Amino acid sequence: RNAWVNWLSTLGLFAYTGLALWSAWRFFTASDATGVAFWGILMAVAILAIGMIKLYLLSKIETDRVLREMKRLELLLAMREK
């Protein structure tokens, strides 16, 4: 149903992972305190975004599992009534 949302979330996950890795590299190679603060905050925001996207995707997977099991039980009950 909402496959495009999952694809968009996965694309965002890869984008934020790249951003986190790039800003981590820039964080460790920064020479001044302003650069360290900027790249550190950007890295932290990217890591938080990755965590939120993963939580969304995991809850979506869990919801799909529960719905699939409910449909299976409905079919079993329908077959048992016949």
Side-chain angles (χ1 to χ4, degrees):
R1 258 177 264 176
N2 292 328
W4 67 273
V5 175
N6 290 340
W7 281 107
L8 189 63
S9 298
T10 304
L11 181 67
L13 186 65
F14 284 122
Y16 279 116
T17 301
L19 179 65
L21 291 173
W22 181 59
S23 54
W25 178 74
R26 295 293 303 255
F27 173 79
F28 288 113
T29 59
S31 59
D32 59 337
T34 307
V36 169
F38 175 76
W39 294 112
I41 290 171
L42 187 62
M43 180 176 53
V45 168
I47 290 171
L48 286 173
I50 290 168
M52 286 189 287
I53 292 172
K54 282 186 175 186
L55 285 174
Y56 167 75
L57 288 174
L58 287 174
S59 69
K60 188 79 169 135
I61 289 170
E62 193 64 32
T63 302
D64 290 344
R65 257 188 218 160
V66 170
L67 289 175
R68 184 177 57 239
E69 286 301 316
M70 286 178 61
K71 287 178 185 177
R72 190 178 71 80
L73 288 173
E74 286 176 352
L75 285 173
L76 285 173
L77 287 174
M79 290 179 67
R80 183 178 257 183
E81 289 177 0
K82 288 183 179 181

XYZ file of all heavy atoms in Angstrom:
662
model
N 0.806 -1.200 0.000
C 0.000 0.000 0.000
C 0.852 1.269 0.000
O 0.689 2.110 -0.843
C -0.886 0.006 1.242
C -2.291 -0.383 0.949
C -3.072 -0.432 2.205
N -3.078 -1.822 2.649
C -3.593 -2.246 3.739
N -4.135 -1.426 4.574
N -3.574 -3.514 4.042
N 1.712 1.376 0.976
C 2.560 2.558 1.078
C 4.017 2.211 0.805
O 4.911 2.612 1.543
C 2.424 3.183 2.465
C 1.060 3.777 2.699
O 0.434 4.267 1.771
N 0.589 3.729 3.923
N 4.228 1.496 -0.267
C 5.595 1.077 -0.593
C 6.481 2.282 -0.886
O 7.674 2.270 -0.570
C 5.587 0.123 -1.778
N 5.915 3.320 -1.460
C 6.715 4.500 -1.784
C 7.240 5.163 -0.519
O 8.339 5.714 -0.521
C 5.919 5.469 -2.638
C 4.747 6.093 -1.923
C 3.487 5.579 -1.824
C 4.741 7.314 -1.206
N 2.708 6.411 -1.079
C 3.441 7.500 -0.688
C 5.696 8.290 -0.952
C 3.082 8.604 0.069
C 5.338 9.392 -0.190
C 4.049 9.542 0.307
N 6.487 5.079 0.581
C 6.954 5.657 1.843
C 8.150 4.865 2.361
O 9.131 5.427 2.852
C 5.814 5.692 2.879
C 6.318 6.177 4.229
C 4.671 6.563 2.396
N 8.076 3.531 2.232
C 9.198 2.704 2.662
C 10.440 2.961 1.820
O 11.556 3.020 2.348
C 8.809 1.227 2.602
C 7.790 0.874 3.660
O 7.623 1.578 4.646
N 7.083 -0.213 3.431
N 10.249 3.100 0.511
C 11.388 3.387 -0.361
C 11.987 4.750 -0.043
O 13.211 4.923 -0.015
C 10.981 3.326 -1.831
C 10.899 1.932 -2.346
C 9.766 1.231 -2.632
C 11.987 1.056 -2.630
N 10.094 -0.027 -3.060
C 11.445 -0.160 -3.075
C 13.366 1.183 -2.537
C 12.233 -1.233 -3.437
C 14.150 0.110 -2.901
C 13.587 -1.077 -3.346
N 11.133 5.735 0.205
C 11.608 7.070 0.542
C 12.342 7.063 1.884
O 13.380 7.710 2.038
C 10.429 8.046 0.574
C 10.757 9.518 0.697
C 11.561 9.986 -0.515
C 9.477 10.320 0.817
N 11.827 6.293 2.836
C 12.497 6.178 4.136
C 13.857 5.503 3.996
O 14.827 5.922 4.639
C 11.623 5.377 5.101
O 10.404 6.022 5.317
N 13.932 4.479 3.179
C 15.203 3.798 2.959
C 16.198 4.717 2.259
O 17.385 4.740 2.614
C 14.981 2.520 2.131
O 14.018 1.698 2.806
C 16.258 1.744 1.957
N 15.726 5.482 1.300
C 16.592 6.446 0.627
C 17.101 7.492 1.625
O 18.286 7.840 1.622
C 15.840 7.111 -0.522
C 16.608 8.125 -1.340
C 17.728 7.444 -2.114
C 15.669 8.841 -2.288
N 16.217 7.973 2.477
C 16.624 8.921 3.509
C 17.615 8.319 4.480
O 18.546 8.985 4.938
N 17.421 7.040 4.792
C 18.345 6.341 5.683
C 19.751 6.302 5.097
O 20.729 6.602 5.792
C 17.836 4.923 5.942
C 18.572 4.075 6.958
C 18.431 4.679 8.343
C 18.024 2.675 6.944
N 19.863 5.987 3.813
C 21.166 5.974 3.158
C 21.765 7.375 3.078
O 22.970 7.555 3.273
C 21.074 5.355 1.762
C 20.961 3.867 1.772
C 19.881 3.234 1.183
C 21.928 3.088 2.376
C 19.769 1.859 1.190
C 21.832 1.706 2.392
C 20.751 1.092 1.801
N 20.918 8.370 2.812
C 21.412 9.747 2.715
C 21.941 10.224 4.070
O 23.023 10.822 4.146
C 20.299 10.667 2.221
N 21.204 9.971 5.131
C 21.658 10.391 6.457
C 22.871 9.599 6.931
O 23.705 10.133 7.663
C 20.526 10.293 7.480
C 19.597 11.474 7.439
C 18.265 11.331 7.083
C 20.053 12.748 7.755
C 17.414 12.409 7.047
C 19.216 13.839 7.714
C 17.894 13.664 7.364
O 17.063 14.744 7.325
N 22.985 8.348 6.500
C 24.186 7.581 6.835
C 25.408 8.196 6.159
O 26.465 8.347 6.778
C 24.023 6.107 6.413
O 22.886 5.566 7.085
C 25.239 5.294 6.765
N 25.262 8.555 4.890
C 26.361 9.224 4.188
C 26.713 10.556 4.829
O 27.897 10.892 5.003
N 25.690 11.312 5.212
C 25.927 12.592 5.871
C 26.635 12.401 7.215
O 27.551 13.146 7.558
C 24.607 13.338 6.074
C 24.692 14.691 6.778
C 25.481 15.683 5.935
C 23.299 15.210 7.074
N 26.224 11.386 7.972
C 26.858 11.123 9.273
C 28.319 10.725 9.093
O 29.191 11.195 9.840
C 26.094 10.035 10.017
N 28.601 9.879 8.117
C 29.985 9.468 7.881
C 30.847 10.631 7.407
O 31.979 10.801 7.859
C 30.028 8.317 6.868
C 29.460 6.987 7.354
C 29.402 5.999 6.202
C 30.275 6.451 8.506
N 30.296 11.435 6.503
C 31.040 12.584 5.988
C 31.308 13.605 7.090
O 32.421 14.101 7.234
C 30.272 13.211 4.836
C 30.967 14.385 4.218
C 32.208 14.400 3.648
C 30.461 15.705 4.114
N 32.485 15.659 3.185
C 31.429 16.481 3.462
C 29.269 16.299 4.502
C 31.250 17.825 3.193
C 29.086 17.633 4.227
C 30.080 18.382 3.594
N 30.287 13.902 7.899
C 30.495 14.881 8.966
C 31.381 14.318 10.073
O 32.102 15.075 10.727
C 29.164 15.373 9.526
O 28.353 14.312 9.936
N 31.381 13.001 10.273
C 32.312 12.408 11.244
C 33.746 12.578 10.768
O 34.636 12.913 11.555
C 31.997 10.929 11.447
N 33.971 12.347 9.478
C 35.314 12.542 8.923
C 35.755 14.000 9.053
O 36.873 14.289 9.466
C 35.331 12.098 7.461
C 36.656 12.305 6.804
C 37.800 11.577 6.993
C 36.982 13.339 5.877
N 38.808 12.091 6.227
C 38.329 13.176 5.530
C 36.253 14.367 5.298
C 38.964 14.007 4.635
C 36.893 15.200 4.405
C 38.236 15.019 4.083
N 34.839 14.930 8.720
C 35.163 16.359 8.839
C 35.345 16.765 10.298
O 36.138 17.641 10.609
C 34.063 17.211 8.197
C 33.898 17.044 6.704
C 35.082 17.561 5.910
N 35.378 18.938 6.171
C 35.106 19.947 5.368
N 34.516 19.734 4.220
N 35.443 21.183 5.705
N 34.591 16.125 11.207
C 34.722 16.411 12.637
C 36.126 16.075 13.134
O 36.747 16.853 13.857
C 33.672 15.600 13.410
C 33.785 15.672 14.905
C 33.319 16.773 15.599
C 34.342 14.630 15.619
C 33.414 16.838 16.982
C 34.451 14.679 16.996
C 33.978 15.791 17.676
N 36.620 14.911 12.753
C 37.928 14.483 13.225
C 39.091 15.169 12.509
O 40.211 15.146 12.997
C 38.071 12.959 13.128
C 37.238 12.250 14.147
C 36.161 11.474 13.761
C 37.508 12.370 15.501
C 35.383 10.822 14.701
C 36.743 11.728 16.449
C 35.674 10.950 16.051
N 38.821 15.789 11.364
C 39.888 16.502 10.670
C 39.793 18.011 10.826
O 40.626 18.731 10.270
C 39.881 16.143 9.171
O 38.614 16.496 8.610
C 40.159 14.666 8.959
N 38.805 18.492 11.572
C 38.659 19.941 11.771
C 39.793 20.460 12.641
O 40.268 19.795 13.559
C 37.314 20.246 12.407
N 40.217 21.694 12.351
C 41.357 22.256 13.079
C 40.958 23.312 14.108
O 41.708 23.581 15.037
C 42.354 22.859 12.093
O 41.714 23.868 11.332
N 39.779 23.895 13.954
C 39.360 24.918 14.909
C 38.115 24.469 15.678
O 37.428 23.533 15.283
C 39.095 26.247 14.195
C 38.016 26.131 13.127
O 37.786 25.012 12.640
O 37.406 27.163 12.784
N 37.843 25.144 16.771
C 36.732 24.759 17.648
C 35.376 24.963 16.977
O 34.447 24.174 17.195
C 36.788 25.542 18.949
N 35.263 25.979 16.152
C 33.996 26.230 15.455
C 33.682 25.090 14.487
O 32.542 24.636 14.411
C 34.059 27.562 14.688
O 34.468 28.590 15.583
C 32.725 27.914 14.083
N 34.674 24.639 13.763
C 34.490 23.519 12.845
C 34.145 22.241 13.572
O 33.273 21.480 13.148
N 34.811 22.004 14.695
C 34.519 20.805 15.494
C 33.078 20.842 15.988
O 32.355 19.847 15.915
C 35.515 20.680 16.676
C 35.062 19.621 17.651
C 36.911 20.380 16.167
N 32.636 22.008 16.475
C 31.264 22.134 16.978
C 30.251 21.947 15.851
O 29.262 21.216 16.009
C 31.072 23.493 17.644
N 30.496 22.578 14.701
C 29.562 22.473 13.580
C 29.425 21.035 13.093
O 28.323 20.515 12.955
C 30.005 23.378 12.429
C 29.160 23.228 11.200
C 27.905 23.796 11.148
C 29.618 22.502 10.106
C 27.110 23.659 10.023
C 28.836 22.356 8.978
C 27.572 22.939 8.936
N 30.565 20.404 12.816
C 30.520 19.041 12.287
C 30.029 18.048 13.330
O 29.376 17.061 12.997
C 31.879 18.646 11.729
C 32.239 19.458 10.526
C 33.221 20.380 10.429
C 31.573 19.433 9.257
N 33.223 20.942 9.180
C 32.222 20.383 8.438
C 30.511 18.719 8.741
C 31.832 20.623 7.131
C 30.122 18.965 7.427
C 30.781 19.900 6.632
N 30.323 18.287 14.599
C 29.822 17.404 15.661
C 28.315 17.479 15.796
O 27.640 16.455 15.948
N 27.777 18.696 15.736
C 26.318 18.851 15.825
C 25.646 18.257 14.600
O 24.618 17.571 14.711
C 25.948 20.340 16.003
C 26.373 20.802 17.393
C 24.462 20.573 15.785
C 26.269 22.292 17.612
N 26.217 18.477 13.421
C 25.649 17.902 12.199
C 25.676 16.380 12.246
O 24.709 15.714 11.858
C 26.405 18.414 10.970
C 25.818 18.041 9.616
C 24.423 18.620 9.464
C 26.723 18.533 8.506
N 26.761 15.818 12.758
C 26.862 14.368 12.890
C 25.810 13.850 13.865
O 25.149 12.831 13.615
C 28.264 13.978 13.361
C 28.481 12.485 13.522
S 30.169 12.041 13.976
C 30.479 13.040 15.408
N 25.620 14.531 14.983
C 24.629 14.105 15.972
C 23.212 14.161 15.415
O 22.408 13.250 15.633
C 24.744 14.974 17.226
N 22.911 15.212 14.660
C 21.585 15.332 14.047
C 21.361 14.218 13.036
O 20.277 13.614 12.972
C 21.409 16.728 13.400
C 20.186 16.792 12.516
C 21.347 17.794 14.475
N 22.377 13.909 12.244
C 22.251 12.833 11.253
C 22.046 11.482 11.937
O 21.220 10.676 11.497
C 23.479 12.792 10.357
N 22.758 11.242 13.029
C 22.605 9.976 13.748
C 21.221 9.877 14.377
O 20.591 8.808 14.369
C 23.727 9.813 14.779
C 25.053 9.563 14.066
C 23.433 8.680 15.753
C 26.265 9.597 14.963
N 20.713 10.990 14.905
C 19.351 10.981 15.451
C 18.320 10.725 14.360
O 17.340 9.997 14.579
C 19.064 12.305 16.152
C 19.744 12.514 17.491
C 19.520 13.929 17.988
C 19.229 11.506 18.504
N 18.522 11.310 13.189
C 17.601 11.075 12.073
C 17.627 9.609 11.650
O 16.580 9.022 11.353
C 17.958 11.976 10.900
N 18.814 9.001 11.634
C 18.922 7.582 11.304
C 18.137 6.753 12.310
O 17.391 5.836 11.948
C 20.410 7.144 11.278
C 21.115 7.751 10.089
C 20.534 5.627 11.250
C 22.629 7.614 10.141
N 18.274 7.081 13.586
C 17.542 6.355 14.620
C 16.040 6.483 14.468
O 15.298 5.505 14.622
N 15.566 7.678 14.148
C 14.120 7.874 13.981
C 13.587 7.112 12.768
O 12.509 6.528 12.823
C 13.809 9.367 13.862
C 13.931 10.101 15.172
S 13.340 11.787 15.109
C 14.641 12.582 14.175
N 14.337 7.127 11.682
C 13.894 6.392 10.490
C 13.865 4.893 10.774
O 12.927 4.194 10.380
C 14.797 6.716 9.281
C 14.589 8.162 8.845
C 14.511 5.779 8.115
C 15.565 8.639 7.796
N 14.873 4.386 11.483
C 14.887 2.959 11.810
C 13.719 2.590 12.720
O 13.099 1.540 12.546
C 16.207 2.576 12.470
C 17.333 2.431 11.493
C 18.565 1.901 12.180
C 19.657 1.631 11.189
N 20.801 0.980 11.802
N 13.411 3.439 13.691
C 12.261 3.171 14.551
C 10.965 3.148 13.751
O 10.094 2.304 13.990
C 12.169 4.209 15.666
C 13.159 4.060 16.798
C 13.055 5.245 17.753
C 12.897 2.768 17.553
N 10.824 4.055 12.793
C 9.635 4.066 11.946
C 9.536 2.778 11.134
O 8.477 2.152 11.081
C 9.652 5.273 11.008
C 8.619 5.151 9.922
C 7.278 5.346 10.196
C 8.979 4.797 8.623
C 6.323 5.205 9.217
C 8.035 4.657 7.633
C 6.709 4.863 7.928
O 5.767 4.699 6.950
N 10.644 2.392 10.508
C 10.611 1.194 9.672
C 10.353 -0.063 10.498
O 9.618 -0.960 10.063
C 11.917 1.065 8.882
C 12.098 2.073 7.746
C 13.478 1.945 7.139
C 11.028 1.901 6.693
N 10.940 -0.148 11.691
C 10.708 -1.324 12.531
C 9.260 -1.399 13.005
O 8.676 -2.485 13.061
C 11.664 -1.328 13.717
C 13.112 -1.656 13.381
C 13.991 -1.494 14.617
C 13.236 -3.052 12.826
N 8.659 -0.255 13.341
C 7.251 -0.279 13.750
C 6.361 -0.656 12.575
O 5.350 -1.342 12.739
C 6.829 1.066 14.331
O 6.794 2.054 13.334
N 6.736 -0.228 11.378
C 5.975 -0.585 10.179
C 6.059 -2.093 9.928
O 5.052 -2.733 9.613
C 6.543 0.185 8.987
C 5.742 0.054 7.753
C 4.558 0.957 7.814
C 3.920 1.002 6.455
N 2.484 0.890 6.538
N 7.236 -2.667 10.093
C 7.407 -4.108 9.905
C 6.591 -4.876 10.937
O 5.924 -5.866 10.616
C 8.900 -4.484 9.994
C 9.641 -3.964 8.766
C 9.089 -5.987 10.136
C 11.146 -4.071 8.868
N 6.608 -4.402 12.187
C 5.852 -5.073 13.249
C 4.354 -5.002 12.985
O 3.631 -5.974 13.191
C 6.194 -4.437 14.603
C 5.731 -5.225 15.773
C 6.400 -6.580 15.881
O 7.570 -6.723 15.490
O 5.741 -7.513 16.357
N 3.883 -3.857 12.507
C 2.462 -3.716 12.179
C 2.077 -4.678 11.065
O 1.024 -5.329 11.133
C 2.160 -2.268 11.744
O 2.529 -1.392 12.793
C 0.707 -2.075 11.415
N 2.909 -4.787 10.048
C 2.620 -5.711 8.947
C 2.581 -7.152 9.426
O 1.752 -7.944 8.983
C 3.656 -5.556 7.832
C 3.510 -4.229 7.099
O 2.448 -3.581 7.240
O 4.455 -3.835 6.402
N 3.474 -7.495 10.360
C 3.474 -8.852 10.917
C 2.176 -9.164 11.654
O 1.602 -10.231 11.495
C 4.624 -8.996 11.909
C 5.771 -9.733 11.406
C 6.752 -9.980 12.514
N 8.072 -9.851 11.954
C 9.157 -9.634 12.628
N 9.109 -9.516 13.930
N 10.310 -9.553 12.031
N 1.738 -8.232 12.474
C 0.517 -8.435 13.245
C -0.682 -8.553 12.312
O -1.540 -9.435 12.491
C 0.326 -7.284 14.264
C -1.050 -7.335 14.893
C 1.395 -7.340 15.334
N -0.758 -7.691 11.301
C -1.876 -7.764 10.358
C -1.872 -9.082 9.594
O -2.931 -9.675 9.354
C -1.815 -6.587 9.388
C -2.153 -5.223 9.979
C -1.938 -4.131 8.950
C -3.579 -5.202 10.491
N -0.697 -9.558 9.212
C -0.612 -10.831 8.498
C -1.102 -11.983 9.376
O -1.843 -12.862 8.924
C 0.817 -11.071 8.028
C 0.969 -12.328 7.189
C 2.377 -12.526 6.664
N 3.349 -12.570 7.741
C 4.384 -11.732 7.865
N 4.557 -10.777 6.983
N 5.226 -11.855 8.861
N -0.725 -11.970 10.643
C -1.168 -13.032 11.557
C -2.671 -12.951 11.820
O -3.337 -13.976 11.943
C -0.397 -12.959 12.875
C 1.025 -13.450 12.757
C 1.117 -14.893 12.294
O 0.351 -15.742 12.806
O 1.929 -15.172 11.407
N -3.201 -11.736 11.898
C -4.649 -11.594 12.085
C -5.408 -12.152 10.885
O -6.433 -12.817 11.040
C -5.009 -10.131 12.329
C -4.638 -9.642 13.706
S -5.026 -7.909 13.969
C -6.789 -7.889 13.753
N -4.910 -11.892 9.675
C -5.558 -12.435 8.478
C -5.478 -13.954 8.467
O -6.434 -14.636 8.085
C -4.893 -11.869 7.219
C -5.228 -10.431 6.961
C -4.511 -9.923 5.725
C -4.742 -8.446 5.534
N -4.003 -7.905 4.386
N -4.344 -14.484 8.909
C -4.192 -15.935 8.960
C -5.185 -16.549 9.939
O -5.822 -17.565 9.650
C -2.766 -16.297 9.352
C -2.446 -17.776 9.197
C -1.005 -18.060 9.557
N -0.734 -17.942 10.968
C -1.008 -18.879 11.877
N -1.565 -19.997 11.510
N -0.711 -18.697 13.139
N -5.356 -15.921 11.101
C -6.314 -16.424 12.078
C -7.744 -16.315 11.578
O -8.569 -17.203 11.823
C -6.165 -15.673 13.398
C -4.924 -15.999 14.205
C -4.808 -15.065 15.405
C -4.954 -17.446 14.658
N -8.061 -15.243 10.877
C -9.394 -15.115 10.298
C -9.665 -16.226 9.290
O -10.765 -16.787 9.251
C -9.542 -13.757 9.614
C -9.683 -12.603 10.561
C -9.728 -11.263 9.842
O -9.495 -11.234 8.601
O -9.984 -10.259 10.507
N -8.665 -16.544 8.477
C -8.846 -17.639 7.515
C -9.028 -18.975 8.215
O -9.860 -19.797 7.815
C -7.649 -17.698 6.562
C -7.593 -16.619 5.494
C -6.273 -16.689 4.743
C -8.759 -16.753 4.539
N -8.249 -19.206 9.276
C -8.404 -20.449 10.031
C -9.783 -20.554 10.661
O -10.417 -21.622 10.641
C -7.327 -20.554 11.110
C -5.929 -20.911 10.634
C -4.936 -20.818 11.787
C -5.916 -22.302 10.018
N -10.286 -19.453 11.220
C -11.629 -19.467 11.803
C -12.696 -19.665 10.754
O -13.685 -20.367 10.978
C -11.865 -18.181 12.592
C -11.134 -18.061 13.903
C -11.354 -16.674 14.498
C -11.603 -19.132 14.864
N -12.524 -19.042 9.600
C -13.496 -19.196 8.522
C -13.514 -20.635 8.019
O -14.587 -21.181 7.715
C -13.181 -18.243 7.384
N -12.366 -21.284 7.923
C -12.305 -22.676 7.478
C -12.884 -23.606 8.538
O -13.498 -24.620 8.213
C -10.867 -23.069 7.149
C -10.338 -22.399 5.898
S -8.657 -22.845 5.526
C -8.847 -24.563 5.122
N -12.707 -23.263 9.800
C -13.218 -24.095 10.888
C -14.755 -24.036 10.952
O -15.402 -25.021 11.282
C -12.641 -23.609 12.202
C -13.063 -24.444 13.376
C -12.417 -23.928 14.621
N -11.322 -24.826 14.952
C -10.572 -24.724 16.008
N -10.789 -23.726 16.845
N -9.631 -25.581 16.254
N -15.361 -22.906 10.607
C -16.810 -22.766 10.653
C -17.501 -23.536 9.537
O -18.661 -23.873 9.649
C -17.190 -21.283 10.569
C -16.848 -20.520 11.828
C -17.160 -19.035 11.699
O -17.636 -18.609 10.623
O -16.905 -18.310 12.680
N -16.803 -23.793 8.456
C -17.416 -24.507 7.319
C -17.604 -25.953 7.568
O -17.247 -26.663 8.337
C -16.582 -24.326 6.065
C -16.687 -22.940 5.503
C -15.902 -22.856 4.213
C -16.044 -21.468 3.637
N -15.344 -21.320 2.392
